Amino acid sequence: MKELMESAGRLDAFLRRIRREIHSNPELSGEEKETAALIVRELEACGGFKIRRNVAGYGVIAELEGGKPGAVIALRADTDALPVAEETGLEFSSRNPGKMHACGHDLHTAMLLGAAKLLVERRPELKGTVRFLFQPAEEDPALGGSKAMIEAGALDGVSAIFGMHVWPEFPSGVFAIRPGEMMAAADHFAVVIKGKSAHGAQPHLGNDALLAGCQFVQAVQTVVSRNVDPFDAAVITVGEFSSGTTYNVLAEECRMEGTVRTYSPEVRDLVHERMKEVLAGICLALGCTGELINISSHPAVINDKTLTEHCLHAAEGIFGKENVLVPDRPTSISEDFSWYGRKVPSVFGFIGASKQGQPAWPLHSCHLSPDEDVMVKGAAMYAAFALGI
Ligand code: NI
């Protein structure tokens, strides 16, 4: 491990240069063309990789065959930016108006390229094959970067996958991981209620979709408070609501959109089932019809227990025992990394990234500026996972 850390330390300037190059040219989900070109350029400069370009859009898959027989291990970084106008004031700020690497994917990509360098150097001792997944479109569930990568064969033959996210809630120098539930399942839903319009003075001649909608917004919270076990967690939020055309007409239609966050698949299924039943019951009572539409969803990130142990061991060597945390709770943020975990054993960790004495801006903030110092350890962590040390 000591020797790996020394090699990683020598990559410091490289990691900063690559991260800054990506940071200054952020590309949104599905548009990561120049980022992909940079990734291919750096992998080709390393030599030794079998490279697949334009996977699931602008994804890049690179394979490194080790000198010894063994399994196929996948390492994943995401490459896309967000539609956020940068306000960091950094000298390498985004030069693309309204676009910013506000989720740290620039660091993830740089760290995985760093790991590629570390592993090429160790090819003779490497067991099996390492598959590097540079995944596009993490931020846009409609494009579904991870799902599209899987459909393109990213996990074929893979026996384990590892990913990381920089995490401003933790200080720089910390690594956090927990077995089991790590990140939430996120479901984006829409509700459409159809009633029958009538004069506002003659409500008995119609069916009020607006009233049904209002009842749904309230009643749906009873799913959390009366159906979900108090020791399980679930969030239902209706964030958009529109209905009606003018003050004296009964609304013909009501539309809503919202999000559901859960952790266990059982709770997730229960919440979905009950939401449908609550909607159907209210619509029946008020003479309307209702439809619950699932617009997009990510399952929860569930860490494989054995792989988590493996990561904890590696992290202790890289970050120091005192800097490795096992959080007692998962986060309510979601990640499309979860789809990989549906197919193969997977594990996902957080790298603390807020610099001491500086404000810890949250992910997706226009001020986000993760500590670049963490990339050396991040690159070493990717490499250690692949090396099985
Ligand atoms: Ni992210």
Side-chain angles (χ1 to χ4, degrees):
M1 189 63 84
K2 190 165 168 279
E3 188 253 325
L4 178 68
M5 286 309 294
E6 281 168 10
S7 305
R10 288 194 286 274
L11 291 179
D12 190 47
F14 166 82
L15 291 165
R16 286 171 202 269
R17 176 170 63 77
I18 295 295
R19 184 264 163 153
R20 291 178 183 199
E21 189 178 341
I22 298 169
H23 189 86
S24 65
N25 186 20
E27 295 173 296
L28 300 183
S29 309
E31 300 172 359
E32 309 88 341
K33 190 175 182 179
E34 289 174 31
T35 308
L38 179 153
I39 291 163
V40 170
R41 181 193 80 199
E42 292 303 322
L43 290 169
E44 283 179 343
C46 276
F49 291 93
K50 213 162 45 176
I51 301 172
R52 262 180 80 190
R53 297 149 213 249
N54 301 329
V55 183
Y58 290 113
V60 178
I61 297 181
E63 248 180 40
L64 182 69
E65 214 177 304
K68 295 178 181 171
V72 184
I73 301 293
L75 305 174
R76 177 270 206 171
D78 39 12
T79 63
D80 55 333
L82 283 159
V84 170
E86 180 159 359
E87 300 276 347
T88 61
L90 293 167
E91 61 192 22
F92 51 90
S93 283
S94 167
R95 56 171 194 261
N96 305 336
K99 301 177 188 178
M100 176 187 172
H101 269 290
C103 199
H105 300 184
D106 47 344
L107 283 86
H108 305 164
T109 303
M111 291 191 300
L112 191 53
L113 284 170
K117 274 181 170 301
L118 293 171
L119 290 167
V120 159
E121 287 169 15
R122 286 161 182 76
R123 204 169 176 182
E125 67 197 78
L126 182 67
K127 291 191 196 101
T129 298
V130 185
R131 191 175 295 164
F132 297 79
L133 309 183
F134 294 92
Q135 180 211 305
E138 195 281 328
E139 300 286 2
D140 185 348
L143 290 171
S146 62
K147 274 171 106 173
M149 291 282 279
I150 294 166
E151 278 158 26
L155 292 182
D156 293 358
V158 165
S159 59
I161 181 166
F162 172 54
M164 285 184 283
H165 208 295
V166 290
W167 213 250
E169 286 171 37
F170 296 127
S172 181
V174 157
F175 184 81
I177 200 160
R178 71 195 300 277
E181 296 149 4
M182 184 74 186
M183 300 181 79
D187 296 276
H188 175 184
F189 69 85
V191 170
V192 181
I193 296 173
K194 291 214 156 67
K196 189 174 149 206
S197 185
H199 195 294
Q202 297 172 315
H204 59 294
L205 299 179
N207 302 101
D208 191 351
L210 191 151
L211 183 61
C214 291
Q215 292 199 0
F216 177 78
V217 170
Q218 295 207 320
V220 80
Q221 292 304 329
T222 64
V223 174
V224 176
S225 68
R226 288 296 173 269
N227 300 130
V228 174
D229 183 321
F231 291 98
D232 286 326
V235 178
I236 303 175
T237 294
V238 177
E240 280 182 66
F241 187 105
S242 64
S243 186
T245 49
T246 186
Y247 80 101
N248 59 354
V249 175
L250 226 57
E252 174 111 3
E253 194 176 87
C254 176
R255 288 178 172 269
M256 286 168 256
E257 283 191 35
T259 187
V260 173
R261 302 289 161 121
T262 52
Y263 297 95
S264 83
E266 292 76 25
V267 173
R268 189 181 186 211
D269 290 347
L270 170 76
V271 167
H272 283 236
E273 224 25 68
R274 285 297 298 145
M275 283 176 73
K276 276 190 211 157
E277 287 169 6
V278 167
L279 178 64
I282 288 168
C283 287
L284 180 68
L286 297 178
C288 298
T289 57
E291 194 184 357
L292 183 76
I293 303 151
N294 195 7
I295 296 176
S296 70
S297 60
H298 294 325
V301 173
I302 309 285
N303 281 339
D304 178 87
K305 288 193 172 56
T306 312
L307 294 178
T308 305
E309 287 298 317
H310 176 44
C311 281
L312 282 168
H313 176 75
E316 283 175 7
I318 292 168
F319 293 83
K321 206 167 184 162
E322 65 287 2
N323 294 317
V324 178
L325 302 180
V326 180
D328 53 5
R329 294 189 298 189
T331 169
S332 59
I333 294 177
S334 69
E335 238 283 351
D336 85 348
F337 182 83
S338 54
W339 289 107
Y340 299 115
R342 282 283 179 104
K343 298 277 176 194
V344 299
S346 73
V347 65
F348 195 77
F350 296 158
I351 293 193
S354 55
K355 221 176 187 145
Q356 238 191 348
Q358 288 186 2
W361 297 105
L363 295 174
H364 294 199
S365 161
C366 58
H367 298 286
L368 180 82
S369 180
D371 185 1
E372 289 184 324
D373 290 352
V374 306
M375 291 191 290
V376 163
K377 287 176 179 161
M381 194 64 207
Y382 271 128
F385 187 85
L387 290 163
I389 57 174

PDB file of all heavy atoms in Angstrom, residues 53-81:
ATOM      1  N   ARG A  53     -15.274   3.493 -27.633  1.00  0.00           N
ATOM      2  CA  ARG A  53     -15.804   4.853 -27.552  1.00  0.00           C
ATOM      3  C   ARG A  53     -17.303   4.858 -27.849  1.00  0.00           C
ATOM      4  O   ARG A  53     -17.839   3.885 -28.340  1.00  0.00           O
ATOM      5  CB  ARG A  53     -15.185   5.738 -28.645  1.00  0.00           C
ATOM      6  CG  ARG A  53     -13.720   5.931 -28.550  1.00  0.00           C
ATOM      7  CD  ARG A  53     -13.166   6.107 -29.966  1.00  0.00           C
ATOM      8  NE  ARG A  53     -11.838   5.546 -30.034  1.00  0.00           N
ATOM      9  CZ  ARG A  53     -10.746   6.263 -30.169  1.00  0.00           C
ATOM     10  NH1 ARG A  53     -10.823   7.554 -30.284  1.00  0.00           N
ATOM     11  NH2 ARG A  53      -9.573   5.685 -30.193  1.00  0.00           N
ATOM     12  N   ASN A  54     -17.898   6.024 -27.620  1.00  0.00           N
ATOM     13  CA  ASN A  54     -19.317   6.239 -27.961  1.00  0.00           C
ATOM     14  C   ASN A  54     -20.221   5.113 -27.457  1.00  0.00           C
ATOM     15  O   ASN A  54     -21.092   4.629 -28.169  1.00  0.00           O
ATOM     16  CB  ASN A  54     -19.482   6.399 -29.475  1.00  0.00           C
ATOM     17  CG  ASN A  54     -18.668   7.567 -30.002  1.00  0.00           C
ATOM     18  OD1 ASN A  54     -18.456   8.558 -29.290  1.00  0.00           O
ATOM     19  ND2 ASN A  54     -18.203   7.464 -31.227  1.00  0.00           N
ATOM     20  N   VAL A  55     -19.998   4.718 -26.232  1.00  0.00           N
ATOM     21  CA  VAL A  55     -20.859   3.713 -25.610  1.00  0.00           C
ATOM     22  C   VAL A  55     -22.007   4.459 -24.932  1.00  0.00           C
ATOM     23  O   VAL A  55     -21.760   5.374 -24.146  1.00  0.00           O
ATOM     24  CB  VAL A  55     -20.079   2.893 -24.553  1.00  0.00           C
ATOM     25  CG1 VAL A  55     -20.965   1.793 -23.970  1.00  0.00           C
ATOM     26  CG2 VAL A  55     -18.806   2.314 -25.150  1.00  0.00           C
ATOM     27  N   ALA A  56     -23.228   4.108 -25.257  1.00  0.00           N
ATOM     28  CA  ALA A  56     -24.395   4.757 -24.637  1.00  0.00           C
ATOM     29  C   ALA A  56     -24.290   6.276 -24.740  1.00  0.00           C
ATOM     30  O   ALA A  56     -24.427   6.985 -23.754  1.00  0.00           O
ATOM     31  CB  ALA A  56     -24.500   4.327 -23.171  1.00  0.00           C
ATOM     32  N   GLY A  57     -24.021   6.762 -25.920  1.00  0.00           N
ATOM     33  CA  GLY A  57     -23.790   8.202 -26.105  1.00  0.00           C
ATOM     34  C   GLY A  57     -22.294   8.440 -26.112  1.00  0.00           C
ATOM     35  O   GLY A  57     -21.562   7.848 -26.905  1.00  0.00           O
ATOM     36  N   TYR A  58     -21.828   9.271 -25.158  1.00  0.00           N
ATOM     37  CA  TYR A  58     -20.397   9.570 -25.108  1.00  0.00           C
ATOM     38  C   TYR A  58     -19.692   8.839 -23.960  1.00  0.00           C
ATOM     39  O   TYR A  58     -18.759   9.365 -23.365  1.00  0.00           O
ATOM     40  CB  TYR A  58     -20.184  11.076 -25.019  1.00  0.00           C
ATOM     41  CG  TYR A  58     -20.562  11.775 -26.308  1.00  0.00           C
ATOM     42  CD1 TYR A  58     -21.665  12.635 -26.359  1.00  0.00           C
ATOM     43  CD2 TYR A  58     -19.845  11.553 -27.476  1.00  0.00           C
ATOM     44  CE1 TYR A  58     -22.030  13.258 -27.550  1.00  0.00           C
ATOM     45  CE2 TYR A  58     -20.204  12.164 -28.671  1.00  0.00           C
ATOM     46  CZ  TYR A  58     -21.297  13.015 -28.696  1.00  0.00           C
ATOM     47  OH  TYR A  58     -21.662  13.617 -29.869  1.00  0.00           O
ATOM     48  N   GLY A  59     -20.136   7.649 -23.670  1.00  0.00           N
ATOM     49  CA  GLY A  59     -19.445   6.836 -22.664  1.00  0.00           C
ATOM     50  C   GLY A  59     -18.173   6.236 -23.238  1.00  0.00           C
ATOM     51  O   GLY A  59     -18.050   6.050 -24.456  1.00  0.00           O
ATOM     52  N   VAL A  60     -17.217   5.960 -22.358  1.00  0.00           N
ATOM     53  CA  VAL A  60     -15.966   5.316 -22.771  1.00  0.00           C
ATOM     54  C   VAL A  60     -15.743   4.108 -21.857  1.00  0.00           C
ATOM     55  O   VAL A  60     -15.855   4.232 -20.631  1.00  0.00           O
ATOM     56  CB  VAL A  60     -14.758   6.275 -22.642  1.00  0.00           C
ATOM     57  CG1 VAL A  60     -13.464   5.557 -23.020  1.00  0.00           C
ATOM     58  CG2 VAL A  60     -14.954   7.525 -23.494  1.00  0.00           C
ATOM     59  N   ILE A  61     -15.469   2.964 -22.462  1.00  0.00           N
ATOM     60  CA  ILE A  61     -15.108   1.779 -21.683  1.00  0.00           C
ATOM     61  C   ILE A  61     -13.694   1.375 -22.067  1.00  0.00           C
ATOM     62  O   ILE A  61     -13.394   1.218 -23.255  1.00  0.00           O
ATOM     63  CB  ILE A  61     -16.079   0.602 -21.942  1.00  0.00           C
ATOM     64  CG1 ILE A  61     -17.507   0.971 -21.499  1.00  0.00           C
ATOM     65  CG2 ILE A  61     -15.612  -0.652 -21.197  1.00  0.00           C
ATOM     66  CD1 ILE A  61     -18.539  -0.138 -21.680  1.00  0.00           C
ATOM     67  N   ALA A  62     -12.836   1.253 -21.075  1.00  0.00           N
ATOM     68  CA  ALA A  62     -11.451   0.864 -21.355  1.00  0.00           C
ATOM     69  C   ALA A  62     -11.132  -0.374 -20.542  1.00  0.00           C
ATOM     70  O   ALA A  62     -11.532  -0.484 -19.376  1.00  0.00           O
ATOM     71  CB  ALA A  62     -10.506   1.995 -20.965  1.00  0.00           C
ATOM     72  N   GLU A  63     -10.438  -1.304 -21.176  1.00  0.00           N
ATOM     73  CA  GLU A  63     -10.104  -2.538 -20.480  1.00  0.00           C
ATOM     74  C   GLU A  63      -8.612  -2.719 -20.377  1.00  0.00           C
ATOM     75  O   GLU A  63      -7.880  -2.481 -21.342  1.00  0.00           O
ATOM     76  CB  GLU A  63     -10.715  -3.729 -21.218  1.00  0.00           C
ATOM     77  CG  GLU A  63     -11.811  -4.369 -20.402  1.00  0.00           C
ATOM     78  CD  GLU A  63     -12.459  -5.555 -21.079  1.00  0.00           C
ATOM     79  OE1 GLU A  63     -11.763  -6.368 -21.704  1.00  0.00           O
ATOM     80  OE2 GLU A  63     -13.685  -5.628 -20.961  1.00  0.00           O
ATOM     81  N   LEU A  64      -8.165  -3.140 -19.201  1.00  0.00           N
ATOM     82  CA  LEU A  64      -6.751  -3.407 -18.971  1.00  0.00           C
ATOM     83  C   LEU A  64      -6.629  -4.846 -18.487  1.00  0.00           C
ATOM     84  O   LEU A  64      -7.168  -5.208 -17.433  1.00  0.00           O
ATOM     85  CB  LEU A  64      -6.204  -2.453 -17.901  1.00  0.00           C
ATOM     86  CG  LEU A  64      -4.717  -2.589 -17.603  1.00  0.00           C
ATOM     87  CD1 LEU A  64      -3.868  -2.107 -18.769  1.00  0.00           C
ATOM     88  CD2 LEU A  64      -4.362  -1.807 -16.337  1.00  0.00           C
ATOM     89  N   GLU A  65      -5.921  -5.638 -19.284  1.00  0.00           N
ATOM     90  CA  GLU A  65      -5.769  -7.041 -18.921  1.00  0.00           C
ATOM     91  C   GLU A  65      -4.524  -7.198 -18.064  1.00  0.00           C
ATOM     92  O   GLU A  65      -3.438  -6.755 -18.458  1.00  0.00           O
ATOM     93  CB  GLU A  65      -5.647  -7.864 -20.202  1.00  0.00           C
ATOM     94  CG  GLU A  65      -6.283  -9.235 -20.079  1.00  0.00           C
ATOM     95  CD  GLU A  65      -6.220  -9.995 -21.386  1.00  0.00           C
ATOM     96  OE1 GLU A  65      -6.706  -9.476 -22.417  1.00  0.00           O
ATOM     97  OE2 GLU A  65      -5.631 -11.087 -21.354  1.00  0.00           O
ATOM     98  N   GLY A  66      -4.679  -7.811 -16.914  1.00  0.00           N
ATOM     99  CA  GLY A  66      -3.551  -7.985 -16.014  1.00  0.00           C
ATOM    100  C   GLY A  66      -2.637  -9.121 -16.441  1.00  0.00           C
ATOM    101  O   GLY A  66      -2.976  -9.902 -17.327  1.00  0.00           O
ATOM    102  N   GLY A  67      -1.496  -9.207 -15.785  1.00  0.00           N
ATOM    103  CA  GLY A  67      -0.526 -10.242 -16.112  1.00  0.00           C
ATOM    104  C   GLY A  67      -0.861 -11.598 -15.517  1.00  0.00           C
ATOM    105  O   GLY A  67      -0.228 -12.600 -15.846  1.00  0.00           O
ATOM    106  N   LYS A  68      -1.833 -11.638 -14.616  1.00  0.00           N
ATOM    107  CA  LYS A  68      -2.205 -12.902 -13.967  1.00  0.00           C
ATOM    108  C   LYS A  68      -3.697 -13.157 -14.197  1.00  0.00           C
ATOM    109  O   LYS A  68      -4.455 -12.211 -14.378  1.00  0.00           O
ATOM    110  CB  LYS A  68      -1.920 -12.807 -12.460  1.00  0.00           C
ATOM    111  CG  LYS A  68      -0.445 -12.674 -12.142  1.00  0.00           C
ATOM    112  CD  LYS A  68      -0.221 -12.542 -10.656  1.00  0.00           C
ATOM    113  CE  LYS A  68       1.264 -12.382 -10.352  1.00  0.00           C
ATOM    114  NZ  LYS A  68       1.512 -12.039  -8.955  1.00  0.00           N
ATOM    115  N   PRO A  69      -4.087 -14.428 -14.152  1.00  0.00           N
ATOM    116  CA  PRO A  69      -5.509 -14.704 -14.377  1.00  0.00           C
ATOM    117  C   PRO A  69      -6.364 -14.226 -13.208  1.00  0.00           C
ATOM    118  O   PRO A  69      -5.878 -14.118 -12.081  1.00  0.00           O
ATOM    119  CB  PRO A  69      -5.557 -16.231 -14.502  1.00  0.00           C
ATOM    120  CG  PRO A  69      -4.330 -16.717 -13.814  1.00  0.00           C
ATOM    121  CD  PRO A  69      -3.296 -15.643 -13.918  1.00  0.00           C
ATOM    122  N   GLY A  70      -7.612 -13.940 -13.500  1.00  0.00           N
ATOM    123  CA  GLY A  70      -8.506 -13.495 -12.435  1.00  0.00           C
ATOM    124  C   GLY A  70      -9.805 -12.957 -13.005  1.00  0.00           C
ATOM    125  O   GLY A  70     -10.065 -13.059 -14.204  1.00  0.00           O
ATOM    126  N   ALA A  71     -10.606 -12.376 -12.141  1.00  0.00           N
ATOM    127  CA  ALA A  71     -11.946 -11.921 -12.504  1.00  0.00           C
ATOM    128  C   ALA A  71     -11.899 -10.563 -13.208  1.00  0.00           C
ATOM    129  O   ALA A  71     -10.854  -9.909 -13.273  1.00  0.00           O
ATOM    130  CB  ALA A  71     -12.786 -11.822 -11.238  1.00  0.00           C
ATOM    131  N   VAL A  72     -13.057 -10.167 -13.722  1.00  0.00           N
ATOM    132  CA  VAL A  72     -13.195  -8.820 -14.308  1.00  0.00           C
ATOM    133  C   VAL A  72     -13.794  -7.901 -13.241  1.00  0.00           C
ATOM    134  O   VAL A  72     -14.875  -8.163 -12.710  1.00  0.00           O
ATOM    135  CB  VAL A  72     -14.107  -8.827 -15.560  1.00  0.00           C
ATOM    136  CG1 VAL A  72     -14.157  -7.440 -16.192  1.00  0.00           C
ATOM    137  CG2 VAL A  72     -13.640  -9.866 -16.573  1.00  0.00           C
ATOM    138  N   ILE A  73     -13.063  -6.843 -12.932  1.00  0.00           N
ATOM    139  CA  ILE A  73     -13.504  -5.874 -11.923  1.00  0.00           C
ATOM    140  C   ILE A  73     -13.779  -4.555 -12.644  1.00  0.00           C
ATOM    141  O   ILE A  73     -12.958  -4.113 -13.453  1.00  0.00           O
ATOM    142  CB  ILE A  73     -12.389  -5.637 -10.874  1.00  0.00           C
ATOM    143  CG1 ILE A  73     -11.990  -6.940 -10.175  1.00  0.00           C
ATOM    144  CG2 ILE A  73     -12.792  -4.576  -9.862  1.00  0.00           C
ATOM    145  CD1 ILE A  73     -13.055  -7.545  -9.308  1.00  0.00           C
ATOM    146  N   ALA A  74     -14.914  -3.930 -12.339  1.00  0.00           N
ATOM    147  CA  ALA A  74     -15.249  -2.654 -12.982  1.00  0.00           C
ATOM    148  C   ALA A  74     -15.080  -1.496 -12.004  1.00  0.00           C
ATOM    149  O   ALA A  74     -15.386  -1.622 -10.806  1.00  0.00           O
ATOM    150  CB  ALA A  74     -16.677  -2.687 -13.509  1.00  0.00           C
ATOM    151  N   LEU A  75     -14.542  -0.389 -12.524  1.00  0.00           N
ATOM    152  CA  LEU A  75     -14.418   0.856 -11.762  1.00  0.00           C
ATOM    153  C   LEU A  75     -15.200   1.910 -12.528  1.00  0.00           C
ATOM    154  O   LEU A  75     -15.056   2.031 -13.737  1.00  0.00           O
ATOM    155  CB  LEU A  75     -12.947   1.286 -11.660  1.00  0.00           C
ATOM    156  CG  LEU A  75     -11.970   0.264 -11.075  1.00  0.00           C
ATOM    157  CD1 LEU A  75     -10.538   0.798 -11.182  1.00  0.00           C
ATOM    158  CD2 LEU A  75     -12.309  -0.034  -9.622  1.00  0.00           C
ATOM    159  N   ARG A  76     -16.007   2.688 -11.829  1.00  0.00           N
ATOM    160  CA  ARG A  76     -16.874   3.629 -12.546  1.00  0.00           C
ATOM    161  C   ARG A  76     -16.675   5.064 -12.084  1.00  0.00           C
ATOM    162  O   ARG A  76     -16.564   5.350 -10.889  1.00  0.00           O
ATOM    163  CB  ARG A  76     -18.332   3.196 -12.350  1.00  0.00           C
ATOM    164  CG  ARG A  76     -19.359   4.120 -12.968  1.00  0.00           C
ATOM    165  CD  ARG A  76     -19.789   5.188 -11.979  1.00  0.00           C
ATOM    166  NE  ARG A  76     -21.126   5.689 -12.259  1.00  0.00           N
ATOM    167  CZ  ARG A  76     -21.792   6.501 -11.444  1.00  0.00           C
ATOM    168  NH1 ARG A  76     -21.254   6.892 -10.320  1.00  0.00           N
ATOM    169  NH2 ARG A  76     -22.985   6.914 -11.755  1.00  0.00           N
ATOM    170  N   ALA A  77     -16.624   5.981 -13.073  1.00  0.00           N
ATOM    171  CA  ALA A  77     -16.689   7.424 -12.797  1.00  0.00           C
ATOM    172  C   ALA A  77     -17.747   8.002 -13.719  1.00  0.00           C
ATOM    173  O   ALA A  77     -17.943   7.514 -14.832  1.00  0.00           O
ATOM    174  CB  ALA A  77     -15.342   8.090 -13.078  1.00  0.00           C
ATOM    175  N   ASP A  78     -18.431   9.048 -13.274  1.00  0.00           N
ATOM    176  CA  ASP A  78     -19.405   9.713 -14.142  1.00  0.00           C
ATOM    177  C   ASP A  78     -18.781  10.993 -14.691  1.00  0.00           C
ATOM    178  O   ASP A  78     -17.859  11.561 -14.094  1.00  0.00           O
ATOM    179  CB  ASP A  78     -20.727   9.979 -13.429  1.00  0.00           C
ATOM    180  CG  ASP A  78     -20.546  10.419 -11.985  1.00  0.00           C
ATOM    181  OD1 ASP A  78     -19.411  10.739 -11.587  1.00  0.00           O
ATOM    182  OD2 ASP A  78     -21.548  10.458 -11.253  1.00  0.00           O
ATOM    183  N   THR A  79     -19.249  11.441 -15.846  1.00  0.00           N
ATOM    184  CA  THR A  79     -18.513  12.479 -16.587  1.00  0.00           C
ATOM    185  C   THR A  79     -19.300  13.753 -16.868  1.00  0.00           C
ATOM    186  O   THR A  79     -18.736  14.713 -17.394  1.00  0.00           O
ATOM    187  CB  THR A  79     -18.036  11.915 -17.946  1.00  0.00           C
ATOM    188  OG1 THR A  79     -19.183  11.580 -18.733  1.00  0.00           O
ATOM    189  CG2 THR A  79     -17.175  10.672 -17.783  1.00  0.00           C
ATOM    190  N   ASP A  80     -20.590  13.779 -16.558  1.00  0.00           N
ATOM    191  CA  ASP A  80     -21.432  14.909 -17.007  1.00  0.00           C
ATOM    192  C   ASP A  80     -21.513  16.046 -15.983  1.00  0.00           C
ATOM    193  O   ASP A  80     -21.242  15.873 -14.803  1.00  0.00           O
ATOM    194  CB  ASP A  80     -22.840  14.430 -17.385  1.00  0.00           C
ATOM    195  CG  ASP A  80     -23.523  13.645 -16.259  1.00  0.00           C
ATOM    196  OD1 ASP A  80     -22.811  13.030 -15.432  1.00  0.00           O
ATOM    197  OD2 ASP A  80     -24.758  13.644 -16.206  1.00  0.00           O
ATOM    198  N   ALA A  81     -21.912  17.218 -16.489  1.00  0.00           N
ATOM    199  CA  ALA A  81     -22.047  18.423 -15.664  1.00  0.00           C
ATOM    200  C   ALA A  81     -23.528  18.784 -15.540  1.00  0.00           C
ATOM    201  O   ALA A  81     -24.398  18.072 -16.043  1.00  0.00           O
ATOM    202  CB  ALA A  81     -21.265  19.559 -16.293  1.00  0.00           C
TER     203      ALA A  81
END
